[in-house]
């Protein structure tokens, strides 16, 4: 009977969750080639093809999907054998800028739960500046925010391109104030948008001020106003009206991960956060 190697099965589960050898390697702190070799050994041991590889994506085969449940059961049994008593729940407090969270939040939490089910996750959504203040004061273990000022360090997760998003029926005549949907101060995106309009000599009025990006996007979808948003977070149904209306470009902004976590379990969880974010944002 062929014995299965635990690290190899763990690598398979990460590849399955993240749909990427590169991202799985990031979580494991190894190379893509090493993860690929583990999967090849596992497929050879099982005499089954578990994944389909292509330049753009990694997908499970029917055999790979069927192997998911027993693979997870094996890893759970292994972990229980090493720690017969229920392990103490670890806490990870994560702050995410509202303009940075986007559609990655759901897969991020799904994959964190799959990789670290014993981790108690606390997520705070807010303005980048407020999230960074909470991080600097020790209230948060890690934060995902737009890059602010000259702060150094951190890990770049993606680079957002911003635009002026509105429903297709939104209209504006030059000479009239441009109706905006924004977050309240101290939102950095709001400040950038207003400075750009002022510099271009375009009058504006805030027709809607929301407490979160979801509310701002809803106002834009309803046709109330135009919203400065990252292309990544703009929901379907909104289009970038900037070029058609002759509005100033808003440029790009880096999304960064800052962390003070040092213990292995939570570092692995944050590597999963980083890999998931990159996978979803890419």
């Amino acid at each position: 009977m062929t014995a299965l190697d635990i690290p190899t099965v763990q690598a398979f589960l990460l590849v399955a969750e993240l749909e990427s050898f590169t991202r799985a390697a990031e979580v494991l702190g190894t190379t893509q080639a090493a993860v690929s070799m583990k999967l090849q050994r596992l497929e050879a041991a099982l005499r089954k093809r578990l994944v389909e590889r292509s330049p753009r994506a990694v997908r499970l085969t029917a055999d790979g999907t069927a192997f998911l449940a027993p693979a997870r059961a094996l890893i759970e049994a292994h972990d229980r054998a090493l720690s017969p008593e229920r392990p103490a729940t670890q806490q990870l407090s994560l702050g995410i800028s509202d303009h940075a969270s986007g559609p990655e939040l759901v897969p991020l939490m799904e994959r964190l739960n799959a990789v670290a089910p014993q981790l108690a996750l606390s997520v705070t959504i807010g303005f980048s500046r407020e999230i960074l203040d909470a991080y600097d004061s020790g209230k948060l273990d890690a934060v995902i925010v737009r890059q602010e000022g000259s702060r150094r360090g951190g890990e770049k997760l993606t680079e957002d391109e911003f635009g002026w998003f509105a429903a297709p029926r939104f209209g504006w005549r030059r000479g009239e104030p441009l109706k905006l949907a924004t977050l309240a101060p101290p939102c950095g995106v709001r400040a950038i948008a207003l400075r750009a309009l002022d510099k271009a000599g375009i009058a504006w009025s805030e027709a809607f001020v929301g407490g979160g990006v979801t509310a701002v996007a809803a106002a834009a979808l309803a046709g109330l106003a135009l919203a400065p948003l990252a292309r990544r977070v703009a929901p379907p149904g909104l289009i970038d009206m900037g070029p058609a209306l002759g509005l100033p470009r808003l440029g790009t902004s880096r999304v960064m991960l800052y962390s003070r976590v040092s213990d292995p379990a939570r570092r692995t969880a944050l590597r999963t956060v980083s890999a998931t974010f990159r996978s979803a944002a890419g």
Side-chain angles (χ1 to χ4, degrees):
M1 177 180 287
T2 302
L4 296 181
D5 177 60
I6 294 297
T8 298
V9 177
Q10 289 172 327
F12 163 75
L13 288 174
L14 279 172
V15 169
E17 291 289 345
L18 297 170
E19 298 180 353
S20 167
F21 283 87
T22 302
R23 305 307 180 209
E26 289 176 15
V27 174
L28 293 170
T30 185
T31 64
Q32 180 180 344
V35 173
S36 184
M37 287 182 63
K38 286 179 183 290
L39 265 290
Q40 289 173 14
R41 288 201 299 269
L42 181 60
E43 289 177 328
L46 296 173
R47 297 180 183 178
K48 294 176 181 177
R49 189 171 181 82
L50 301 177
V51 297
E52 294 287 352
R53 303 164 177 84
S54 74
R56 291 192 173 187
V58 174
R59 296 285 184 267
L60 293 182
T61 63
D63 286 330
T65 300
F67 184 59
L68 271 177
R72 286 172 177 148
L74 175 62
I75 297 304
E76 288 170 5
H78 170 265
D79 292 345
R80 284 197 303 272
L82 291 179
S83 303
E85 296 180 3
R86 185 177 180 84
T89 299
Q90 283 189 295
Q91 303 281 335
L92 176 64
S93 56
L94 178 64
I96 307 177
S97 163
D98 204 355
H99 270 287
S101 60
E104 291 79 15
L105 194 53
V106 173
L108 186 153
M109 290 192 289
E110 286 177 343
R111 287 163 184 172
L112 264 181
N113 184 59
V115 171
Q118 299 301 325
L119 195 67
L121 184 64
S122 170
V123 176
T124 301
I125 306 292
F127 298 119
S128 287
R129 226 169 294 170
E130 293 177 349
I131 293 292
L132 280 170
D133 287 345
Y135 173 73
D136 290 338
S137 65
K139 296 176 183 176
L140 295 171
D141 299 318
V143 293
I144 296 174
V145 294
R146 290 189 318 102
Q147 191 171 42
E148 293 274 345
S150 59
R151 178 181 287 262
R152 296 185 178 182
E155 176 186 351
K156 178 185 170 183
L157 299 181
T158 189
E159 187 151 349
D160 278 336
E161 180 182 0
F162 283 83
W164 302 96
F165 285 88
R169 64 184 179 278
F170 179 79
W172 172 61
R173 293 179 182 177
R174 276 201 172 268
E176 295 180 352
L178 181 65
K179 292 183 178 180
L180 298 180
T182 67
L183 290 182
C187 174
V189 173
R190 174 187 180 275
I192 290 170
L194 298 189
R195 280 199 302 268
L197 291 175
D198 289 341
K199 186 176 180 180
I202 297 173
W204 53 269
S205 66
E206 287 182 293
F208 181 89
V209 177
V213 169
T214 300
V216 169
L221 283 167
L224 273 64
L226 177 147
L229 295 170
R231 196 169 301 279
R232 176 177 56 86
V233 306
L238 293 181
I239 59 174
D240 184 359
M241 305 282 279
L245 298 179
L247 299 176
R249 293 190 61 185
L250 291 175
T252 62
S253 174
R254 290 183 174 185
V255 177
M256 306 292 294
L257 170 68
Y258 298 98
S259 166
R260 59 168 51 88
V261 168
S262 58
D263 59 283
R266 292 191 299 169
R267 283 179 64 87
T268 297
L270 281 180
R271 286 199 298 269
T272 302
V273 168
S274 174
T276 300
F277 203 97
R278 286 199 181 94
S279 292

